[in-house]
Amino acid sequence: MASANATYDAAEREARFHEAVKHIAEQAYWVPVQKYTQNFMMSNDLVYVQPEDGMPRLFMARWKE
């Protein structure tokens, strides 16, 4: 990737990026496609059940009545 970014020749850049993508596809067994924050809320007065998929849905939080 660095060597592809180091040249302005379009054909050379294409060839170097092609090699980089080929190497990544052959070697990468797992690659994250997105990330999200893990939020922690702590209070005895808070009602919030974390969804099983781990996605933070803070709009579901509410205070005990």
Side-chain angles (χ1 to χ4, degrees), residues 2 6 12 18 27 29 44 49 51 55-56 64:
E12 186 66 24
H18 177 77
Q27 300 297 317
Y29 298 107
N44 290 333
V49 178
M55 294 299 294
K64 288 184 181 176

Side-chain angles (χ1 to χ4, degrees), residues 11-27:
E12 186 66 24
R13 285 176 62 89
E14 182 179 353
R16 291 179 184 183
F17 276 123
H18 177 77
E19 285 300 312
V21 170
K22 180 180 174 186
H23 179 75
I24 291 167
E26 290 173 350
Q27 300 297 317

Side-chain angles (χ1 to χ4, degrees), residues 37-58:
T37 61
Q38 184 67 31
N39 299 294
F40 296 95
M41 301 181 299
M42 298 169 57
S43 173
N44 290 333
D45 297 325
L46 186 66
V47 177
Y48 178 72
V49 178
Q50 176 67 38
E52 290 184 22
D53 64 4
M55 294 299 294
R57 293 181 181 90
L58 302 181

Side-chain angles (χ1 to χ4, degrees), residues 2-10 12-13 16:
S3 69
N5 284 328
T7 182
Y8 291 106
D9 182 286
E12 186 66 24
R13 285 176 62 89
R16 291 179 184 183

